[in-house]
Amino acid sequence: MNTNVHVFSVSPFLTLTEKVTVEYLCQLFFGGESVKHGGFTCPGGSLANLTAMITARSILFPETKAKGIQDHKFRLFTSEHAHYSFHKAAMTAGMGIETVISVGVNSQGQMESEKLRQAFLDSKLRNETPFFVCATAGTTVYGSFDPLNEIADICEEFGLWLHVDASWGGGVIFSPKHLHKLTGIKRANSITFNPQKMLGVPLLCSFLLLRDKSVLAANSLDNASYLFHEENEYDNGSQTLWCSRLGDAFKFWFSLQWYGEVGYCRRVEHAFEMVTLFYENMLKNSNFEVLLKPACLQVCFYYRPSEDGERNTKMTHGIVQVLRNERKYFIDYAQGKRGDFFRIVIQNPLTTEVFIDEVIKEIDEAGKKLLHTL
Amino acid sequence: MNTNVHVFSVSPFLTLTEKVTVEYLCQLFFGGESVKHGGFTCPGGSLANLTAMITARSILFPETKAKGIQDHKFRLFTSEHAHYSFHKAAMTAGMGIETVISVGVNSQGQMESEKLRQAFLDSKLRNETPFFVCATAGTTVYGSFDPLNEIADICEEFGLWLHVDASWGGGVIFSPKHLHKLTGIKRANSITFNPQKMLGVPLLCSFLLLRDKSVLAANSLDNASYLFHEENEYDNGSQTLWCSRLGDAFKFWFSLQWYGEVGYCRRVEHAFEMVTLFYENMLKNSNFEVLLKPACLQVCFYYRPSEDGERNTKMTHGIVQVLRNERKYFIDYAQGKRGDFFRIVIQNPLTTEVFIDEVIKEIDEAGKKLLHTL
C-alpha cells in the first residue's frame, strides 16, 4: 500500500483500482456515457475544489495556463454557506479572495438561484469575467443542498462551469430515500465527493469527478519527461496539480466490496433516522430552539436563547465546556447571527436512540445549572 | 491514526508530534533561534513547493491575497534541472508557466549563480517582478546540489525569497560526511524536505519548513469560524492552502525514535557507498559511459553510446525492456541531449556489493545481445 499512484508502472494494481472506482462513482453521479467520465483522488476536498477551479480556468481560458490571468477579472460564485476552501483556492490561484462572490441563501441555507443570476448580471455589468459556480450539496454548517437544477440552468444559459461540492452530502447517492436532494447533479462539469465523510472511509479519501475527462489534459505539462514517458491515460500524476499520491481510492473500493451499496444505504438511512429522532425530541423540549429542519446529518440548535447574542454564545460555550470537563461529550459549535449555536453531526452507524436521549438530557441538565450563573 | 491534524482539539497527540518534529527539523536545517521556526507536513513535495511560493507572494505583496496578482508580472527562478512542480505551481497560482525562468546549469547540473544574477537583472530591465528563487538540493535526474551560499547572496542582495527544494537531497543532513552539500541552506526562507525519499519513511511524508513561522499567517483566512474557533498556534489547518491532513509527521517521528540520527547516518552513508561502488565499477567497463560523478544517489549512464541520439535511446529502452521481460530488474530512464539514458537510484539499505555487480553484469549482457540487432 505504501506506493505512489503517479504513474501506472509504479503501482499498476492501485492505479486500476482508482480507475474502476472513479468509473463507478462517475456512473453513479453523472450516469449516461460512462466512457467520457474521469477523475482521480485528491488529498482532501479543498484540493479537489481547487483542482476543479483551475481546470475550469484552463479549459475556458486556455491562454492562462502559459500566460497567467493577465487582465482577466475572474469571478466565481458560491453561496454564503459554502466551504471556505474556495477563498483559499482563489487566493492560491492568484485571483484574490475578493474574486469569490458569495450568493445569498434562504432561511434553509440554500443558495437562491435568482440571486445567483443577479450576481452574475451585476458582475458582467462591471466588466468582470465570471466563469465558475460552485453549488454545495450538503453545506458544512447547516447541511443544506443547493437547488442544483436551477443553478445548472443558469450555468448553461451563461456558459459557466458548474462545480458541485458534494464532499459531505454526496453520500446520499446511496439512499433511494434521500437521493432526490442531489437532483440535477449529473449536469455538473465536476463534482467533489469525499467517502471519508458520510461513508466513514478512512482519511484521506476524496474524489474529483469530471463529466468529461478530456478536460484533465488542461493540467498536464510537458517538462517531466523523466517521469511520464509516453502518452498514457493511466499516468494520472500528469493531470493533478501535484505529483506523489497515495492509493486512496483503494480504501473506498475495499469498503464498497465489504458493505456493498445496500450496506451504504443502510448506513446513510440509519444516520438520517437518528438525526430525525434527535430533531423531533428537541422539538418536544421547550428549552431547545432548533435552527432548521435538518437537510443532512447536522442538528443546529440553541439552548434557551435570548435576544442577546453574547448571552447565547456564553450559554453554548458554557454547556460545551461542562460536558468536556466531565469527559462526557465533545460537542462543537458554530457562529450564527444570534451568537454561537450547537452543531451536532450524527453519522456513526452505532448511534442508538438511547444515546440520543442521553445526549439531549445531559445538555439540558448542564444548561439548567448554567442558567443560574448567566 | 485515522484522524485529522487540521485542529488541535481533534488530534492533540498528532498535532504535538508534528510540532516537535518540525522544531527538530528546523533546528537541524536552520539552526539558531529555534523559537521563530515553524512549518507543517504537506501531501507531497509539490504542494510544499507551491505553498512556499504562495507564502512568499503573500508576504512580499500582501495585497495579492485579497486582490490577486493584478498588474504584477511576477517571475520566479529555478534551474533547468529543478523539479517540474514549479511549472505546475506557476500555472496553479495564476501566474502562468512562462513565469518560471529556467536558469542554466553547469556540466554537473548545478545552477550557475552568475546566470541567476544575469537572469534577475534582465527580468528587472523588462519591468517584471522577480520575487522567488528555488534552489535545488538534490535534483531529480542528476542529483545535483545547487551552490546555496552563492544563491543566498544574490537573494539577499536583491530581496528575493529563497526557497530550497531539498525534497530528495535533504537526507544528507544526517551524514557528517555529505552534510557539506547543504552548506548555506540555513539562509533559506523556506525548505521542502521529504523523509519519504532518502530516509525511507512511508509515503506521504513531506515537510515545509519556515525560517520564520510568523509568515504562515499569510495563508490564513477569517471565514472558517465554524472550525477555527480562536487564535491557536496549534491549529495548523488555518495556515495550509487546504484543510484536512493526516498526521504524516508521526511516521517520521516514529522512524526517528527507532533509527536515531546514527541509524539515519548509516543508512545515508551506506547508500552513498553503494553508489560510489556502482560508479567506479562502471568506469572500469568501457561499455558504459557515466554522465557525471554522482553528487547524490543517482547514477546516470549510457550503454555503448554513439553520436546518434535515436540509437542511444533505442539501446536504453531495449535493455530496460529485456530486463523487465525477464522479470529481473525494473530500471528507469530519463531524457538527455544525446537520447534517453539509464537513471538508477540506489537508496535501499539492503543493497549489497554482490547485487551491484550483478546489475552491471546483467545490463552488460543484455546490451551485448542488443548490439547485434541495432
Side-chain angles (χ1 to χ4, degrees):
Chain A
M1 295 301 297
N2 180 33
T3 187
N4 197 331
V5 294
H6 57 347
V7 289
F8 175 79
S9 59
V10 167
S11 50
F13 172 71
L14 289 177
T15 302
L16 292 177
T17 305
E18 182 169 16
K19 195 175 154 60
V20 298
T21 310
V22 162
E23 278 170 6
Y24 167 77
L25 284 174
C26 282
Q27 193 60 42
L28 218 53
F29 281 100
F30 294 117
E33 309 155 83
S34 71
V35 73
K36 282 193 176 177
H37 305 328
F40 44 78
T41 60
C42 301
S46 296
L47 287 170
N49 287 340
L50 169 69
T51 305
M53 201 188 70
I54 301 291
T55 307
R57 192 176 68 186
S58 291
I59 285 291
L60 298 173
F61 304 90
E63 75 285 3
T64 59
K65 200 177 150 182
K67 300 275 179 200
I69 50 185
Q70 299 175 296
D71 297 335
H72 287 294
K73 290 181 176 158
F74 288 121
R75 289 295 179 270
L76 57 103
F77 304 90
T78 190
S79 94
E80 286 172 350
H81 282 201
H83 193 246
Y84 77 109
S85 56
F86 287 96
H87 288 81
K88 276 194 178 173
M91 175 181 74
T92 303
M95 309 192 308
I97 296 164
E98 292 176 5
T99 301
V100 184
I101 297 182
S102 290
V103 179
V105 296
N106 63 21
S107 64
Q108 302 302 299
Q110 300 168 300
M111 189 196 285
E112 296 202 71
S113 53
E114 268 316 304
K115 287 191 179 162
L116 171 63
R117 174 186 294 275
Q118 197 52 55
F120 170 82
L121 295 173
D122 292 348
S123 174
K124 278 307 247 185
L125 273 180
R126 293 192 300 267
N127 282 318
E128 297 164 354
T129 310
F131 76 110
F132 185 89
V133 174
C134 170
T136 312
T139 58
T140 311
V141 177
Y142 277 15
S144 318
F145 289 78
D146 288 338
L148 303 181
N149 258 333
E150 293 174 21
I151 295 170
D153 286 344
I154 295 171
C155 289
E156 273 174 24
E157 185 181 345
F158 299 122
L160 299 162
W161 181 284
L162 174 57
H163 177 69
V164 177
D165 181 0
S167 296
W168 168 228
V172 306
I173 197 98
F174 290 101
S175 158
K177 214 165 164 180
H178 298 282
L179 181 59
H180 65 90
K181 294 170 184 174
L182 297 173
T183 302
I185 198 166
K186 65 178 177 189
R187 297 170 67 188
N189 297 92
S190 53
I191 299 170
T192 297
F193 173 54
N194 290 9
Q196 74 184 20
K197 293 187 182 280
M198 199 182 287
L199 303 181
V201 172
L203 266 68
L204 300 169
C205 189
S206 171
F207 286 87
L208 176 63
L209 307 172
L210 279 300
R211 195 169 62 188
D212 176 0
K213 70 180 168 196
S214 71
V215 301
L216 288 172
N219 297 330
S220 69
L221 300 176
D222 52 8
N223 65 340
S225 61
Y226 76 92
L227 185 62
F228 306 115
H229 291 316
E230 55 260 338
E231 293 258 336
N232 183 344
E233 65 159 320
Y234 296 114
D235 287 353
N236 270 338
S238 64
Q239 299 167 353
T240 61
L241 298 177
W242 47 94
C243 186
S244 293
R245 284 184 312 133
L246 282 177
D248 290 330
F250 179 79
K251 291 179 270 187
F252 173 65
W253 179 84
F254 195 68
S255 164
L256 181 65
Q257 308 310 309
W258 179 258
Y259 293 105
E261 294 181 349
V262 173
Y264 279 152
C265 169
R266 282 170 58 189
R267 183 189 171 108
V268 169
E269 296 196 348
H270 172 76
F272 271 95
E273 282 159 21
M274 291 299 110
V275 165
T276 306
L277 195 76
F278 196 103
Y279 170 67
E280 285 171 355
N281 286 0
M282 288 224 139
L283 288 186
K284 286 179 203 152
N285 185 330
S286 61
N287 286 330
F288 293 104
E289 184 188 316
V290 191
L291 271 70
L292 75 165
K293 193 178 168 191
C296 200
L297 301 179
Q298 294 103 306
V299 192
C300 300
F301 59 92
Y302 283 110
Y303 187 78
R304 294 273 296 258
S306 68
E307 286 315 298
D308 176 0
E310 213 169 299
R311 186 190 150 95
N312 297 341
T313 295
K314 266 187 193 159
M315 177 61 86
T316 304
H317 291 201
I319 295 175
V320 162
Q321 207 52 55
V322 166
L323 297 175
R324 282 191 195 183
N325 291 349
E326 293 176 356
R327 302 267 188 276
K328 276 182 177 158
Y329 301 105
F330 194 90
I331 297 178
D332 206 9
Y333 52 85
Q335 223 168 30
K337 281 178 186 161
R338 287 158 58 212
D340 289 3
F341 55 82
F342 292 92
R343 174 175 161 268
I344 282 186
V345 185
I346 299 177
Q347 57 125 323
N348 187 325
L350 302 177
T351 305
T352 60
E353 295 184 27
V354 175
F355 176 82
I356 281 174
D357 287 343
E358 214 175 270
V359 175
I360 295 177
K361 205 186 91 209
E362 294 280 0
I363 297 174
D364 199 6
E365 279 175 13
K368 275 177 195 152
K369 277 182 225 159
L370 273 175
L371 273 177
H372 305 293
T373 67
L374 286 177
Chain B
M1 296 300 298
N2 179 34
T3 188
N4 197 331
V5 294
H6 57 348
V7 289
F8 175 79
S9 59
V10 167
S11 50
F13 172 71
L14 289 176
T15 302
L16 291 177
T17 305
E18 182 169 14
K19 195 175 155 61
V20 299
T21 310
V22 162
E23 278 170 6
Y24 167 77
L25 284 174
C26 283
Q27 193 59 43
L28 218 54
F29 282 100
F30 295 117
E33 310 155 83
S34 70
V35 74
K36 281 193 177 178
H37 304 328
F40 44 77
T41 60
C42 302
S46 296
L47 288 170
N49 288 340
L50 169 68
T51 305
M53 201 187 71
I54 300 292
T55 308
R57 191 176 68 185
S58 291
I59 285 292
L60 299 172
F61 304 90
E63 75 285 4
T64 59
K65 200 176 151 183
K67 300 274 179 200
I69 51 186
Q70 298 175 296
D71 297 335
H72 287 294
K73 289 180 177 160
F74 287 122
R75 289 294 178 272
L76 57 103
F77 304 89
T78 190
S79 94
E80 287 172 351
H81 282 201
H83 193 246
Y84 78 109
S85 55
F86 287 96
H87 288 82
K88 276 193 178 173
M91 175 181 74
T92 303
M95 309 192 307
I97 296 164
E98 292 177 6
T99 300
V100 184
I101 297 183
S102 290
V103 179
V105 295
N106 63 20
S107 63
Q108 302 303 298
Q110 300 168 301
M111 189 196 285
E112 296 202 71
S113 52
E114 268 316 304
K115 287 191 179 162
L116 170 63
R117 174 185 293 273
Q118 197 51 55
F120 169 82
L121 295 173
D122 292 348
S123 174
K124 279 308 247 185
L125 274 181
R126 293 192 299 268
N127 283 317
E128 297 163 354
T129 310
F131 76 110
F132 185 88
V133 174
C134 170
T136 312
T139 58
T140 311
V141 177
Y142 277 15
S144 317
F145 288 78
D146 288 339
L148 302 182
N149 259 333
E150 292 174 22
I151 295 170
D153 286 345
I154 295 171
C155 289
E156 273 174 23
E157 185 180 345
F158 299 121
L160 299 163
W161 182 284
L162 174 56
H163 177 69
V164 177
D165 182 1
S167 296
W168 169 227
V172 306
I173 197 96
F174 291 100
S175 159
K177 214 166 166 179
H178 298 281
L179 181 59
H180 64 90
K181 294 171 183 173
L182 296 173
T183 301
I185 198 166
K186 66 178 176 187
R187 298 170 67 189
N189 296 92
S190 53
I191 299 171
T192 298
F193 173 54
N194 290 7
Q196 73 183 21
K197 293 187 182 281
M198 200 181 287
L199 303 181
V201 172
L203 266 69
L204 299 168
C205 189
S206 172
F207 286 87
L208 176 63
L209 307 172
L210 280 300
R211 195 169 61 189
D212 176 0
K213 70 179 168 197
S214 71
V215 301
L216 288 173
N219 297 329
S220 68
L221 299 176
D222 53 8
N223 66 340
S225 61
Y226 74 93
L227 185 62
F228 307 114
H229 290 316
E230 56 261 336
E231 293 258 335
N232 182 345
E233 65 159 320
Y234 296 115
D235 288 353
N236 269 338
S238 65
Q239 298 167 353
T240 61
L241 299 177
W242 47 95
C243 185
S244 292
R245 283 183 312 132
L246 282 177
D248 290 330
F250 179 79
K251 291 179 270 188
F252 174 65
W253 179 83
F254 196 68
S255 164
L256 180 65
Q257 309 311 309
W258 181 258
Y259 293 105
E261 293 182 351
V262 174
Y264 279 152
C265 170
R266 282 170 59 189
R267 183 188 173 109
V268 169
E269 295 196 349
H270 172 77
F272 270 94
E273 282 159 21
M274 290 300 110
V275 165
T276 306
L277 195 75
F278 196 102
Y279 169 67
E280 285 171 354
N281 286 0
M282 287 224 140
L283 288 185
K284 287 179 201 152
N285 184 330
S286 62
N287 285 330
F288 294 104
E289 184 188 316
V290 191
L291 271 69
L292 75 166
K293 192 178 168 191
C296 200
L297 301 180
Q298 294 103 307
V299 191
C300 300
F301 59 92
Y302 283 111
Y303 188 79
R304 293 275 295 257
S306 69
E307 286 314 299
D308 177 0
E310 214 169 301
R311 187 191 148 96
N312 296 342
T313 295
K314 267 187 192 159
M315 177 61 85
T316 304
H317 291 200
I319 295 174
V320 162
Q321 208 52 55
V322 167
L323 296 175
R324 282 190 195 184
N325 291 348
E326 292 176 355
R327 302 265 187 277
K328 276 182 178 158
Y329 300 105
F330 193 89
I331 297 177
D332 206 9
Y333 53 86
Q335 224 168 32
K337 280 178 185 160
R338 287 158 59 213
D340 289 3
F341 55 82
F342 293 91
R343 174 176 162 269
I344 282 186
V345 186
I346 299 177
Q347 57 125 324
N348 187 327
L350 302 177
T351 305
T352 60
E353 295 185 28
V354 175
F355 176 83
I356 282 174
D357 288 343
E358 214 175 270
V359 175
I360 295 177
K361 206 186 90 210
E362 294 280 0
I363 298 175
D364 199 7
E365 279 175 14
K368 275 178 194 153
K369 277 183 224 157
L370 272 176
L371 272 177
H372 305 293
T373 67
L374 287 177

